[in-house]
């Protein structure tokens, strides 16, 4: 990867993938502590009654704990709780000045276009993402999503797919190896996908996600488990 990408003060590199602690309103205390995490993701769609003021307050609390924060208001079609697009936009626009990065779906075209422009002005990092919740498509069907995200202005493209078996993990591994120089994050969901939480970062995914109480996606390890395994495996590989 030839260009510099960072979330806040945390530089992203294929040489040393970063760990993201993900959670919503119920996990705020654990997210603020989140030992072993490099970055925190606040899932505003997981709040009981998400409002701009409560999301801004949560972002301020998390940033005060010392880690950069990604703001995500996930669309229902891609794994989020039901929220009207008008509400999602309000939450993103209120939270953007108080976050270090935003994650929005490639498929949310109009919202993503607006957020990319505003994030550029504010100096924030943009993650454009796609989540296939039922299966893992072939790698040649996923590669065009990276092209589209880059064309839309993504700093980082995130592709997450449900892995039904080890072959699906291999598909995501092939995708990661093919696109590792383009600033990507790849994730596998489901029981079979837990392996990918370690394997894909080794292949070039910039981030891997863990939970601090309640998983935000199936197949997640806890941040503590993930940090211990990543530290052990990457230290061995570099020794």
């Amino acid at each position: 990867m030839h260009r510099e990408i960072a979330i806040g003060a945390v530089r992203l590199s294929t040489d040393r993938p970063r760990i993201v602690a993900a959670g919503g309103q119920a996990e705020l205390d654990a997210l603020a502590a989140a030992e072993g995490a490099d970055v925190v993701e606040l899932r505003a769609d997981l709040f009981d009654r998400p409002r701009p003021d409560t999301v801004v307050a949560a972002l301020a609390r998390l940033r005060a704990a010392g880690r950069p924060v990604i703001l995500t208001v996930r669309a229902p079609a891609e794994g989020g709780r039901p929220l009207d697009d008008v509400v999602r936009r309000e939450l993103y626009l209120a939270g953007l000045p108080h976050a270090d990065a935003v994650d929005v779906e490639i498929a949310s075209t109009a919202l993503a276009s607006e957020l990319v422009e505003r994030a550029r002005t504010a100096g924030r990092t943009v993650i454009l993402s796609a989540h296939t919740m039922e299966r893992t498509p072939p790698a040649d069907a996923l590669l065009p999503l990276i092209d589209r995200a880059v064309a839309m202005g993504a700093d980082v493209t995130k592709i997450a797919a449900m892995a039904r078996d080890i072959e699906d993990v291999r598909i995501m591994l092939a995708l990661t190896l093919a696109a590792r120089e383009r600033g990507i994050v790849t994730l596998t969901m489901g029981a079979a996908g837990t392996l990918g939480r370690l394997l894909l970062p080794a292949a070039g995914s910039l981030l891997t996600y863990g939970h601090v109480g309640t998983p935000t996606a199936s197949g997640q390890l806890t941040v503590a488990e993930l940090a211990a395994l990543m530290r052990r495996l990457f230290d061995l590989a570099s020794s």
Side-chain angles (χ1 to χ4, degrees):
M1 190 175 66
H2 303 296
R3 58 195 175 94
E4 179 100 357
I5 305 173
I7 298 175
V10 174
R11 180 177 172 271
L12 306 187
S13 168
T14 55
D15 295 330
R16 191 78 182 197
R18 301 296 191 171
I19 295 173
V20 180
Q25 186 175 31
E27 290 79 37
L28 281 179
D29 287 342
L31 287 174
E35 186 175 349
D38 302 294
V39 178
V40 170
E41 180 190 39
L42 181 67
R43 284 283 301 273
D45 58 290
L46 299 181
F47 280 44
D48 289 335
R49 293 178 179 83
R51 301 191 317 270
D53 60 330
T54 56
V55 170
V56 167
L59 288 167
R61 179 180 175 189
L62 293 176
R63 289 184 89 191
R67 295 179 186 84
V69 183
I70 303 167
L71 172 62
T72 302
V73 193
R74 181 64 63 230
E78 300 199 21
R81 285 186 182 172
L83 276 182
D84 183 270
D85 279 350
V86 173
V87 175
R88 292 181 66 221
R89 179 179 180 274
E90 289 175 350
L91 297 175
Y92 271 121
L93 296 187
L96 176 61
H98 308 277
D100 299 280
V102 291
D103 178 335
V104 63
E105 303 81 22
I106 298 168
S108 297
T109 309
L111 179 56
S113 178
E114 181 178 8
L115 287 175
V116 166
E117 183 176 347
R118 289 177 179 265
R120 288 283 171 271
T121 301
R124 301 305 194 256
T125 302
V126 177
I127 302 170
L128 295 184
S129 57
H131 307 75
T132 59
M133 307 305 296
E134 302 296 332
R135 62 188 181 88
T136 300
D140 59 5
L142 294 171
L143 282 168
L145 287 172
I146 300 173
D147 296 332
R148 183 179 174 193
V150 171
M152 292 170 68
D155 296 301
V156 175
T157 304
K158 185 176 82 175
I159 307 292
M162 180 63 68
R164 296 168 296 185
D165 52 35
I166 193 65
E167 185 56 38
D168 285 344
V169 177
R170 292 190 183 107
I171 290 172
M172 293 298 287
L173 176 61
L175 174 71
T176 309
L177 292 169
R180 69 190 306 271
E181 297 298 328
R182 302 184 67 186
I184 61 160
V185 172
T186 50
L187 299 162
T188 44
M189 299 178 286
T194 300
L195 174 62
R197 302 281 170 165
L198 295 169
L199 183 62
L200 299 179
S205 176
L206 297 174
L207 302 172
T208 188
Y209 288 61
H211 70 87
V212 290
T214 302
T216 60
S218 59
Q220 280 182 346
L221 296 165
T222 68
V223 167
E225 290 173 318
L226 197 53
L229 288 168
M230 293 278 286
R231 184 167 54 248
R232 180 180 179 187
L233 295 176
F234 278 82
D235 285 351
L236 283 172
S238 60
S239 63

